[in-house]
Amino acid sequence: MLTVTADALVAADFRPRTPRIPRRPPGPYRRLLSVPGARAFTIGNLIARLPMGMFSVSAVVMIAGTRGSYALAGAVTATGLAATALVAPWTARLVDRHGQARVAVPATLFAALGSLALVLCVRSGAPDWTLFAAYAATATTPNTGGMARARWAHLLQGDAGALHTANSFEQATDELCYMLGPVLAAFLCTAVFPEAGTLTGVVLLVTGILLFAAQRATEPPARPRPAAKAPFRAPGIPPLLAMCLATGAVFGAMEVVTIAFADAQGHRSAAGVVLALQAAGSCAAGLLYGALKPAGPAEVRLPWCVAAMTALMTLPLLAASLTGSLPLLALTLLAAGMATAPTMVTTMTLVQHRTPEGRLNEGMTLAVTGLLGGIACGSAAGGWTVE
């Protein structure tokens, strides 16, 4: 038996104790990535999404460098984007009905063959029409960002705050890929050989999709026969698609014109860095936007976001036309990107809210299709203007 004296109890009561520091609660992005399986599919999706910022820049630099025509390069990329705008919704509909893994892998492999065919046509000096046909074959590339957002919507059902953070995270990931992709593409095409950017993009795309598709535990269930009507006919979706079309036209023209502007000043290799700054501003703004709790419904926030983006997008035009300074153009593109992510996050949130149940991949792909259609028009108009 143990005997405890009164002196011992008194001494124990007055012993100095180390103050317990309260543990800081995890941030919103840490909580998001702690969802079971989230990190695995995010890594695969990030690898697959990086080439999305590489392919168009690689094609422009590769074709313009070998054929000596920005008009041809812009027209080829515009054709590929237009084909994607037509094919992507059908691919997304198949994803909703049969599952992401069953559709994304064969669609990606077919698109990879199209990119390899483009490289062979450019390398062998094939007729110009073959470039259009080869690049159009890449239209089956699945909407990797849409598939990731569909997984978050499946995993975070009923948690609007976490879903807002997830949408902001995915938009920041998009911008990160469009920030790193052009830099990597411009470096590979100019420092290694003209076709290196496209070839590297193919390897990354196939690898990432295979890793992403392997994560079956987080895949949303397939809906073989959804009862809901097509997202395009859902109330409120057409105005959002029109806005995406106009936004994409600005992005497409800005990309081609910026590359040509840098080339005219003898700094073609710097074009990727300049374009990356616009994506860097959007990436930073997207992460900040996701960490904050948005005030008011998305329907009220969207007009303010669009107005801010419109105002900031005029800065690069003024910098290029009034000063002709490439560094100043880069700084204004950085500032212009600050309003891009909040606008796109709010748009995607509205698309998710208004898309009928069971057709989420198709609804979000329609939004991306609007962007691609606008980029196609902007790329063609930009290349024609530069020429």
Side-chain angles (χ1 to χ4, degrees):
M1 177 179 289
L2 296 176
T3 303
V4 181
T5 64
D7 293 339
L9 289 174
V10 172
D13 289 341
F14 289 96
R15 287 174 184 171
R17 298 181 180 180
T18 303
R20 180 175 294 178
I21 301 175
R23 184 173 295 180
R24 186 177 181 181
Y29 293 106
R30 186 176 177 182
R31 291 196 302 269
L32 186 70
L33 294 176
S34 66
V35 175
R39 296 186 182 184
F41 84 73
T42 297
I43 291 173
N45 193 271
L46 180 62
I47 296 173
R49 215 185 302 189
L50 180 60
M52 298 301 103
M54 296 177 61
F55 282 131
S56 60
V57 174
S58 297
V60 169
V61 176
M62 177 175 64
I63 296 172
T66 55
R67 302 293 174 97
S69 173
Y70 275 104
L72 176 62
V76 169
T77 56
T79 299
L81 292 174
T84 301
L86 295 175
V87 175
W90 295 98
T91 304
R93 182 175 297 182
L94 292 175
V95 168
D96 282 327
R97 291 185 177 182
H98 303 288
Q100 295 182 354
R102 290 184 62 187
V103 176
V105 173
T108 298
L109 294 177
F110 188 86
L113 292 177
S115 294
L116 294 177
L118 177 66
V119 171
L120 292 176
C121 291
V122 172
R123 190 79 173 176
S124 62
D128 290 349
W129 68 266
T130 61
L131 307 184
F132 291 91
Y135 204 71
T138 65
T140 61
T141 304
N143 179 14
T144 51
M147 291 192 297
R149 289 178 173 91
R151 292 203 179 202
W152 287 121
H154 170 64
L155 296 173
L156 303 174
Q157 293 181 20
D159 192 341
L163 190 57
H164 167 74
T165 302
N167 285 333
S168 299
F169 174 76
E170 291 301 326
Q171 186 61 39
T173 301
D174 280 339
E175 301 301 341
L176 178 65
C177 294
Y178 280 103
M179 177 176 62
L180 299 178
V183 177
L184 180 59
F187 170 77
L188 291 172
C189 292
T190 56
V192 184
F193 55 89
E195 299 84 6
T198 300
L199 294 176
T200 303
V202 169
V203 173
L204 291 174
L205 176 63
V206 173
T207 302
I209 286 294
L210 291 176
L211 291 174
F212 178 79
Q215 313 306 316
R216 303 299 293 268
T218 55
E219 183 177 351
R223 302 291 182 90
R225 295 179 180 177
K229 58 185 177 181
F232 184 79
R233 298 178 181 178
I237 292 292
L240 294 175
L241 299 182
M243 194 204 74
C244 290
L245 183 69
T247 303
V250 175
F251 292 160
M254 183 180 65
E255 183 176 279
V256 174
V257 172
T258 300
I259 294 174
F261 184 80
D263 190 17
Q265 296 194 354
H267 301 289
R268 177 187 291 184
S269 59
V273 178
V274 175
L275 289 172
L277 287 175
Q278 190 269 342
S282 184
C283 180
L287 291 175
L288 178 61
Y289 190 62
L292 301 175
K293 181 178 290 187
E299 291 85 352
V300 176
R301 298 197 309 269
L302 184 59
W304 291 101
C305 292
V306 172
M309 187 174 68
T310 302
L312 290 177
M313 279 293 179
T314 61
L315 297 179
L317 174 63
L318 294 175
S321 60
L322 298 180
T323 68
S325 170
L326 187 62
L328 184 59
L329 174 63
L331 291 176
T332 55
L333 284 173
L334 175 66
M338 298 273 180
T340 301
T343 303
M344 297 311 303
V345 169
T346 308
T347 302
M348 286 298 181
T349 300
L350 285 174
V351 170
Q352 287 179 345
H353 289 170
R354 297 174 178 179
T355 297
E357 185 179 357
R359 310 193 75 157
L360 189 55
N361 278 293
E362 185 180 352
M364 288 188 292
T365 300
L366 281 174
V368 175
T369 296
L371 284 171
L372 293 177
I375 291 173
C377 297
S379 296
W384 178 82
T385 305
V386 167
E387 192 74 14

